[in-house]
Amino acid sequence: MKWNDEGFVDLYDLLDVWPDVEAGALRRRISELYLEARENLEHQSHRKRFYYRELYELQLPQARTILLD
């Protein structure tokens, strides 16, 4: 995750999209990342497994709630 000094995650940066992205494209990107994360929840590498679990369980739901509100 890309955290700043205050512990803030830039969700647009996380999703690799511009802030002016259309809602449909944003939904597709979130879905793509959900699929990628789900496929890697049991990754061999502990670091990658942790990254994808955090992405799947915390960051993507937060991005969906905040950006698609």
Side-chain angles (χ1 to χ4, degrees):
M1 301 301 132
K2 299 176 182 177
W3 301 86
N4 71 7
D5 293 337
E6 292 89 35
F8 173 79
V9 175
D10 182 342
L11 297 173
Y12 293 108
D13 193 32
L14 173 75
L15 300 174
D16 195 27
V17 296
W18 292 99
D20 62 350
V21 66
E22 293 181 7
L26 187 58
R27 280 187 187 88
R28 282 189 299 278
R29 181 63 181 146
I30 290 171
S31 293
E32 290 169 359
L33 288 174
Y34 261 119
L35 180 60
E36 179 182 340
R38 195 161 110 208
E39 291 172 352
N40 287 288
L41 289 176
E42 300 299 327
H43 198 280
Q44 274 185 295
S45 164
H46 176 70
R47 176 177 284 158
K48 285 189 178 188
R49 187 170 56 241
F50 178 80
Y51 169 80
Y52 284 113
R53 283 198 179 276
E54 186 172 345
L55 186 67
Y56 188 81
E57 295 173 0
L58 300 173
Q59 303 301 330
L60 291 175
Q62 182 180 37
R64 179 182 284 161
T65 300
I66 293 171
L67 300 179
L68 293 174
D69 187 18

